[in-house]
Amino acid sequence: MQHELPTVTVIIPTRPGAGKPLALDAAKALDYPKEKVEILVTRGRQPAVQRNHALRAARGDLVYFLDDDALPQPANLKRSLEYFKQPATQMVGGPNICPPEAPLLERVFAVCLASALAFGPSRARYTSVGQPRATTEKELILCNLMARREEVLKLGGFDESLYPNEENALMDALQQHGGKLMYDPEFIALRRPRPTLKAFLRMLFNYGRGRAEQFRLHPTPGSILNFVPPLFCLYLAALLALAISAPAWLPWAALPLGLYGLALLGQTVVSAKSMGSGRSLLAIPFLVATHVFYGFGFWRGLFTGLKPATVENIGPVEVERVQ
């Protein structure tokens, strides 16, 4: 019955001075009793800080985190309730998927994001994979994620010295305290990838940097797979040095690179079955760019200075209750 439904707070961070977030109208259109939903738009320059401010202001039993350009499916809130019936379930999430009307370049980026070779298990963040299941932080993404507000607050919310990857550290902490994370391939938000090559490459670099910073602050065995791209970058650098200093050994040293090329072709064949051969072929150089820029970002993140966000270095945060 309606009075038994939990209350929900939708949290949408956006930049100061930005117009109405795209996500706002979609949040208002969620299929849920209006008196059970509040929407908080939080403006600032560091999303982890903005979300923490909104968490402390929220009234809902559950919180639904959306990025300002994420368009959730209307049924998402009611769909999540089946999972939250289990007391151990602390978070429920699903993929953010490129809309079919997006420009060609963005749809090519979407092929890369959804490929196992580029993103491994994290491809489930960008395409519907498998059946509903218990999962880890590898498959969930903050732009389309629900959580129990009190449990998140008990752990102090998001680590404000991390951005990105603040949600990954929080999810690890929830699991370490016995919480369960659920992935539902039909718990979908539509969201366009980065619009330009420069923005896409910067995103890859920042993903790598954020993962390395997370590993420094909150090391877990789950981060081991993320060392593959930085090691790949080391391998490429070693090949270049070998080509200069001992070219006779280069053919033997390049054998793994040949296997990598076969893996690229294999991934292209797999992607073509669901996303079309044209876009899959165009995505090949971006698959390589994913490993290289993520790898460079990871190396950068191993040596960055980490400090909590403050008003002095990020400016003020405003929280507006719009519903």
Side-chain angles (χ1 to χ4, degrees):
M1 296 177 62
Q2 181 168 310
H3 67 273
E4 297 174 338
L5 294 175
T7 54
V8 179
T9 299
V10 182
I11 295 175
I12 305 171
T14 193
R15 301 285 287 180
K20 183 175 75 172
L22 290 174
L24 183 55
D25 286 342
K28 292 179 178 180
L30 289 165
D31 182 15
Y32 209 75
K34 301 304 179 186
E35 67 275 13
K36 294 280 187 176
V37 179
E38 69 170 352
I39 302 173
L40 302 182
V41 175
T42 174
R43 297 183 183 276
R45 300 187 182 280
Q46 213 278 31
V49 177
Q50 293 165 247
R51 291 185 176 106
N52 280 343
H53 273 70
L55 275 169
R56 292 189 287 268
R59 301 167 181 164
D61 304 308
L62 304 174
V63 288
Y64 188 13
F65 298 106
L66 294 172
D67 275 11
D68 62 0
D69 57 350
L71 306 177
Q73 299 297 290
N76 279 2
L77 295 186
K78 288 184 177 178
R79 189 175 185 91
S80 74
L81 297 186
E82 289 301 311
Y83 304 106
F84 284 115
K85 287 179 181 178
Q86 304 176 39
T89 299
Q90 302 300 332
M91 282 187 170
V92 176
N96 71 112
I97 294 177
C98 177
E101 69 273 13
L104 176 61
L105 182 62
E106 294 179 17
R107 288 184 284 127
V108 171
F109 291 158
V111 173
C112 179
L113 292 167
S115 68
L117 182 62
F119 279 86
S122 295
R123 74 187 187 97
R125 298 171 180 170
Y126 307 102
T127 187
S128 297
V129 176
Q131 300 297 316
R133 58 190 178 273
T135 188
T136 70
E137 54 91 12
K138 293 291 187 187
E139 293 190 314
L140 301 180
I141 190 165
L142 190 50
C143 68
N144 181 34
L145 185 69
M146 290 194 69
R148 295 188 192 272
R149 180 173 61 89
E150 287 300 327
E151 298 304 317
V152 172
L153 287 172
K154 283 179 184 177
L155 295 177
F158 297 99
D159 186 336
E160 296 182 358
S161 62
L162 283 176
Y163 178 71
N165 285 77
E166 70 273 21
E167 78 270 30
N168 307 92
L170 177 60
M171 285 187 265
D172 279 338
L174 285 169
Q175 286 193 300
Q176 289 165 7
H177 285 78
K180 187 177 183 181
L181 314 178
M182 295 297 299
Y183 173 84
D184 183 344
E186 299 303 319
F187 186 88
I188 292 170
L190 297 179
R191 183 170 179 250
R192 289 172 53 175
R194 299 298 191 271
T196 66
L197 177 60
K198 181 179 179 180
F200 184 71
L201 297 179
R202 184 188 300 116
M203 178 197 76
L204 297 173
F205 183 88
N206 285 334
Y207 279 1
R209 175 188 55 76
R211 176 61 69 169
E213 291 174 346
Q214 178 196 344
F215 179 77
R216 288 167 57 192
L217 292 176
H218 311 281
T220 64
S223 292
I224 292 175
L225 185 62
N226 298 97
F227 279 83
V228 174
L231 291 176
F232 178 68
C233 290
L234 274 185
Y235 167 70
L236 293 179
L239 278 185
L240 179 61
L242 196 62
I244 296 171
S245 61
W249 290 96
L250 189 61
W252 295 102
L255 285 176
L257 198 59
L259 295 176
Y260 178 71
L262 291 176
L264 288 172
L265 292 176
Q267 178 62 70
T268 301
V269 171
V270 171
S271 297
K273 293 179 180 179
S274 58
M275 297 191 171
S277 57
R279 281 186 290 153
S280 299
L281 287 169
L282 291 172
I284 291 176
F286 302 115
L287 295 175
V288 179
T290 296
H291 299 134
V292 172
F293 280 83
Y294 187 101
F296 282 140
F298 194 96
W299 283 116
R300 177 72 181 94
L302 290 177
F303 303 101
T304 51
L306 297 173
K307 58 183 179 180
T310 64
V311 173
E312 287 72 23
N313 58 33
I314 67 163
V317 173
E318 299 178 359
V319 178
E320 177 188 2
R321 184 172 280 106
V322 298
Q323 178 176 312

